[in-house]
Amino acid sequence: MARLDRYLLRTVFISILACMSLITATASPDSKPFVIPELKSWEPLEGNFHFEGKPVICIPAKDTSLFNIAKMFSDDWETMFGTRLQVRSRKGDIIFTIEEDAHLGKEGYRITISDDITVSAPTPAGIFWATRTLLQIADGTGGKSLPKGVITDWPDYAIRGFMMDCGRKYIPMDYLRDLIRIMAYYKMNTLQVHLNDNGFKQYFGQDWGKTYAAFRLESEYFPGLAAQDGFYTKEEFIDFQREAAGMYVEIIPEIDVPAHSLALTRYRPETGSKEYGMDHLDLFKEETYSFVDSLFTEYLGGSEPVFIGPKVHIGTDEYSNKDKEVVEKFRAFTDHYIRLVESFGKQAVVWGALTHADGHTPVKSENVLMNAWYNGYADPKDMVEQGYRLISIPDGYVYIVPAAGYYYDFLNERFLYESWTPAHVGETVFEERDPSIAGGMFAVWNDHAGNGISVKDIHYRLFSPMQTLSVKMWTGENTSMTYDEFDKARKNTAEAPGINVNGRIGDTTGRVLFMEKVRPGQKMPYNEIGYDYTVSFTIEGRDEMPGTELFRSDNAVFYLSDPISGMLGFARDGYLNTFRYRIREGEKAEITISGDSKSTTLTVNGKVIDRLDIEKRWYDEGKSTMYYVRTLVFPLKTAGDFKSRITGLEIRNH
């Protein structure tokens, strides 16, 4: 990660561009269906196709890939609309067919909606993306009909992706599986999983031995390497990659070396650099290479490798360039692991660092992809001249670092929609669809380990940009809607079929649930409610044991009596937060909990008792600060085993 000074320069640059922008967008044709990302071409016809009598999806006999797509389409249709589409190989109402069409490329498709629906594409991937389009259009009518017309659609960029830092914060596999479904719904086809990293030592007493570090993948070669607070087994990671591939989302696993490697040097202290810091591998020791070689080989080798996709990321960012000798060693290290990955039949991906580490030692560039994240570390034009293809992921535009106080807490989506495409690599601008730009990504970096951020908070920050940037990576610069039109139109778009990570209940403000009484152990009609909400109820208090729950979901618990102090409070993501209030025997009170993306507030009998907002904490003798977040997506799935009487439960959106 680049630091604050680089971020400030980019923020100023973005502000100037936004103010000077003279970009205008033509109005969207009234008849053009709203889809994210926007359709390239729509030719309207008269009338509508109506889904009556459970239409049949027709696919060519023995075409397994199209059968699987049709089944997923039918499953998703049933999830969204409650009816199931039949899948057969004889004549049907919806026809899937593979047809060569050079204009559509590898992922484009054509849909003709008339008295029947014909979906054609050069590849199964195009057919799958077409089904995402059909689902989104049909969602506007509750699955009852589609407007007749001809859709021709294709992406401007081959790689349309997102990177999640799972190293500094454990991201549960259940969420990653939801994430790939969301990505697929918006035709985002690449997820880079950052598997190891560490915190900054100034938040841990300037002691590498105490600094948080984690490696997130099970290792049989090196038992105990995987983080005890959360890791992925080999089996579940393989299944995850297969599931993603089934939805045409590629997983790029990343083992970040030789910097950001404290989890590795803690396991093998002899591989750590005493000169440059223990988060740096020592590039001058043979033990380092034998260790890292074995680690990559564990996941790439054998008849059933753990990394099953075509690409593997080897890291290579932000190593010290203190002197010439270490620069040349870094370049040799990078070249070594590019070639090691390639020896297993994979394409290597690296972070851009070779301007920062400019030297004479050759580093292979042919068929190597480079994340172009900061032009001071890797000058984009120079990297292209050297032979690298770039994934545009400029830090000053598309880096989210939750509640850090630098980079973005929430991306500037208006600027991105109006002024950015993957051709804009920081301040360097290529021609649109320049073949040297493989595509684009955005990223979440969980730099501040231990800052209270939840997976829900992370999702809240990334979901809206996922929609916006899917447009810019698929449709490119030729959007027909203004940002305000787009932003308004997308408000009621689902996250994905059956997915509601944000905990949205309905699409309007006001009351969404009222219950006269809540019984202990009762199953509730909703799992949770997300920002912004209030939960109100009347309580007649009884003597509750510490740890007594009011409500629980799969992601959080709200306590009537927290396990430590017996106060009202909540737990999620391993963090316990308590209010300065205790329910007492015989007490009758009106309780309201309100939550948004920055705070959780307790009101009792109309008086605010405690507001758990973002708390500024000081470290390193006051030289460093961290913002600690105390938010809650309120759990509602199941009522706890309490003795108190709970009446008049009211849930409201705000």
Side-chain angles (χ1 to χ4, degrees):
M1 295 284 295
R3 297 294 182 259
L4 183 58
D5 55 343
R6 297 198 291 272
Y7 161 72
L8 290 173
L9 288 172
R10 274 155 190 73
T11 301
V12 171
F13 181 74
I14 288 172
S15 299
I16 292 171
L17 280 180
C19 292
M20 295 177 62
S21 175
L22 297 177
I23 294 173
T24 59
T26 58
S28 176
D30 291 339
S31 59
K32 186 175 182 177
F34 179 73
V35 174
I36 304 174
E38 183 178 338
L39 301 175
K40 283 283 179 61
S41 173
W42 165 253
E43 301 172 29
L45 301 173
E46 290 293 327
N48 293 281
F49 177 93
H50 295 278
F51 287 88
E52 297 171 348
K54 297 183 179 179
V56 173
I57 306 172
C58 175
I59 59 170
K62 299 182 181 179
D63 193 319
T64 303
S65 60
L66 293 190
F67 176 83
N68 290 337
I69 293 170
K71 184 178 182 304
M72 281 190 287
F73 181 46
S74 181
D75 290 344
D76 290 338
W77 191 275
E78 184 175 25
T79 296
M80 294 178 71
F81 310 124
T83 58
R84 188 163 188 83
L85 307 177
Q86 301 177 52
V87 181
R88 299 177 185 170
S89 58
R90 60 178 174 81
K91 180 174 174 57
D93 308 279
I94 307 171
I95 303 157
F96 288 178
T97 179
I98 298 294
E99 293 182 5
E100 291 296 327
D101 189 330
H103 178 67
L104 295 178
K106 293 182 179 179
E107 295 182 278
Y109 61 90
R110 182 172 286 107
I111 305 173
T112 302
I113 307 170
S114 56
D115 293 336
D116 55 22
I117 300 172
T118 301
V119 180
S120 64
T123 67
I127 300 289
F128 180 75
W129 299 137
T131 66
R132 306 303 92 182
T133 292
L134 290 171
L135 288 168
Q136 287 193 38
I137 297 174
D139 199 19
T141 66
K144 293 181 174 60
S145 66
L146 294 171
K148 290 184 178 180
V150 180
I151 296 167
T152 307
D153 204 13
W154 66 93
D156 273 9
Y157 294 94
I159 292 177
R160 306 175 301 280
F162 170 71
M163 192 231 67
M164 177 68 85
D165 175 8
C166 301
R168 297 186 183 103
K169 177 172 174 59
Y170 176 61
I171 308 296
M173 181 56 71
D174 285 348
Y175 175 72
L176 292 180
R177 293 177 68 243
D178 283 345
L179 181 59
I180 58 173
R181 292 178 180 278
I182 293 164
M183 293 180 67
Y185 198 54
Y186 296 109
K187 304 183 180 75
M188 298 282 274
N189 66 359
T190 306
L191 174 61
Q192 182 175 321
V193 181
H194 188 76
L195 287 166
N196 66 288
D197 217 313
N198 48 267
F200 304 144
K201 70 174 182 175
Q202 62 263 36
Y203 298 113
F204 299 90
Q206 292 289 355
D207 186 343
W208 286 121
K210 297 177 181 177
T211 300
Y212 184 83
F215 185 86
R216 299 297 183 193
L217 194 54
E218 174 189 14
S219 174
E220 294 170 288
Y221 284 20
F222 306 106
L225 175 61
Q228 292 306 299
D229 66 338
F231 68 90
Y232 315 120
T233 67
K234 290 181 176 181
E235 182 178 6
E236 70 181 343
F237 199 75
I238 291 170
D239 289 344
F240 167 60
Q241 293 169 91
R242 287 175 176 161
E243 182 178 351
M247 292 180 284
Y248 299 91
V249 177
E250 180 185 340
I251 304 302
I252 301 180
E254 178 191 353
I255 297 176
D256 198 359
V257 288
H260 302 278
S261 299
L262 184 60
L264 304 183
T265 66
R266 183 166 291 161
Y267 188 85
R268 285 283 179 86
E270 67 273 17
T271 65
S273 174
K274 295 180 180 178
E275 183 170 1
Y276 304 114
M278 287 297 287
D279 62 339
H280 284 48
L281 291 167
D282 190 330
L283 304 184
F284 296 87
K285 288 187 175 180
E286 289 298 322
E287 299 95 320
T288 297
Y289 294 87
S290 61
F291 177 40
V292 179
D293 283 4
S294 295
L295 192 62
F296 275 102
T297 299
E298 178 174 6
Y299 303 121
L300 289 166
S303 58
E304 297 182 0
V306 177
F307 293 163
I308 65 175
K311 302 180 185 71
V312 172
H313 203 300
I314 63 170
T316 70
D317 63 322
E318 295 191 306
Y319 199 90
S320 174
N321 66 347
K322 182 179 178 181
D323 59 51
K324 184 66 175 175
E325 188 178 12
V326 76
V327 164
E328 299 301 335
K329 275 290 186 182
F330 172 83
R331 293 176 65 87
F333 180 96
T334 302
D335 183 73
H336 174 83
Y337 286 100
I338 288 171
R339 295 177 187 278
L340 179 68
V341 164
E342 290 180 342
S343 73
F344 291 98
K346 307 294 186 181
Q347 183 179 22
V349 190
V350 300
W351 288 105
L354 296 180
T355 299
H356 175 77
D358 189 26
H360 302 294
T361 302
V363 181
K364 188 176 186 294
S365 62
E366 183 183 359
N367 197 39
V368 177
L369 285 171
M370 177 179 286
N371 287 111
W373 67 280
Y374 170 52
N375 297 4
Y377 262 73
D379 179 82
K381 294 286 188 181
D382 184 39
M383 294 302 104
V384 168
E385 288 179 7
Q386 290 187 33
Y388 296 97
R389 292 191 74 214
L390 306 183
I391 300 172
S392 177
I393 184 171
D395 60 346
Y397 297 165
V398 296
Y399 270 21
I400 300 170
V401 186
Y406 57 86
Y407 284 122
Y408 285 101
D409 197 10
F410 293 86
L411 291 184
N412 184 344
E413 292 185 62
R414 178 181 294 276
F415 168 80
L416 292 170
Y417 186 89
E418 293 176 347
S419 304
W420 187 81
T421 71
H424 296 244
V425 188
E427 294 88 343
T428 301
V429 181
F430 292 80
E431 292 292 326
E432 290 296 324
R433 297 169 294 281
D434 187 312
S436 61
I437 306 297
M441 285 187 178
F442 72 112
V444 165
W445 292 101
N446 295 305
D447 282 16
H448 288 182
N451 71 344
I453 281 285
S454 70
V455 173
K456 294 288 185 179
D457 292 320
I458 292 169
H459 182 75
Y460 188 74
R461 285 160 169 79
L462 72 83
F463 172 63
S464 181
M466 183 75 70
Q467 294 177 316
T468 298
L469 289 169
S470 76
V471 176
K472 303 306 293 182
M473 296 176 192
W474 180 281
T475 312
E477 62 181 347
N478 297 317
T479 54
S480 67
M481 304 177 75
T482 67
Y483 177 73
D484 289 330
E485 290 168 339
F486 167 75
D487 194 41
K488 182 179 179 180
R490 65 162 161 184
K491 293 300 184 185
N492 295 333
T493 305
E495 293 185 26
I499 304 295
N500 185 17
V501 179
N502 275 328
R504 193 167 69 184
I505 300 178
D507 298 313
T508 59
T509 59
R511 180 193 286 183
V512 295
L513 177 67
F514 181 81
M515 297 176 64
E516 292 282 356
K517 183 179 180 180
V518 180
R519 299 185 304 274
Q522 184 174 358
K523 302 294 183 184
M524 303 292 287
Y526 300 108
N527 289 326
E528 56 196 359
I529 185 167
Y531 317 131
D532 301 321
Y533 65 83
T534 60
V535 176
S536 304
F537 55 90
T538 300
I539 186 167
E540 297 176 36
R542 300 289 185 270
D543 183 25
E544 303 285 13
M545 294 290 293
T548 297
E549 301 174 4
L550 175 60
F551 291 114
R552 167 181 286 273
S553 71
D554 295 335
N555 304 294
V557 177
F558 191 90
Y559 291 106
L560 282 180
S561 175
D562 84 78
I564 307 259
S565 61
M567 303 287 192
L568 284 176
F570 58 90
R572 83 292 186 279
D573 290 65
Y575 298 100
L576 175 65
N577 294 286
T578 58
F579 298 105
R580 292 178 297 225
Y581 192 82
R582 185 192 308 272
I583 300 294
R584 301 192 180 277
E585 175 88 25
E587 174 186 14
K588 185 174 182 179
E590 303 292 329
I591 304 292
T592 298
I593 301 98
S594 56
D596 57 33
S597 64
K598 296 183 182 299
S599 64
T600 313
T601 302
L602 172 67
T603 302
V604 180
N605 296 327
K607 180 181 178 181
V608 173
I609 299 298
D610 207 354
R611 177 174 286 112
L612 304 181
D613 53 11
I614 297 177
E615 180 180 71
K616 192 173 185 178
R617 297 181 174 182
W618 299 88
Y619 298 83
D620 194 22
E621 299 179 343
K623 299 174 186 175
S624 301
T625 59
M626 181 184 291
Y627 296 95
Y628 182 78
V629 178
R630 299 176 289 179
T631 51
L632 176 67
V633 168
F634 198 90
L636 288 171
K637 185 176 182 180
T638 309
D641 185 16
F642 47 80
K643 300 174 186 175
S644 300
R645 177 179 168 83
I646 308 294
T647 57
L649 176 70
E650 183 179 57
I651 313 293
R652 298 179 69 89
N653 281 326
H654 292 282

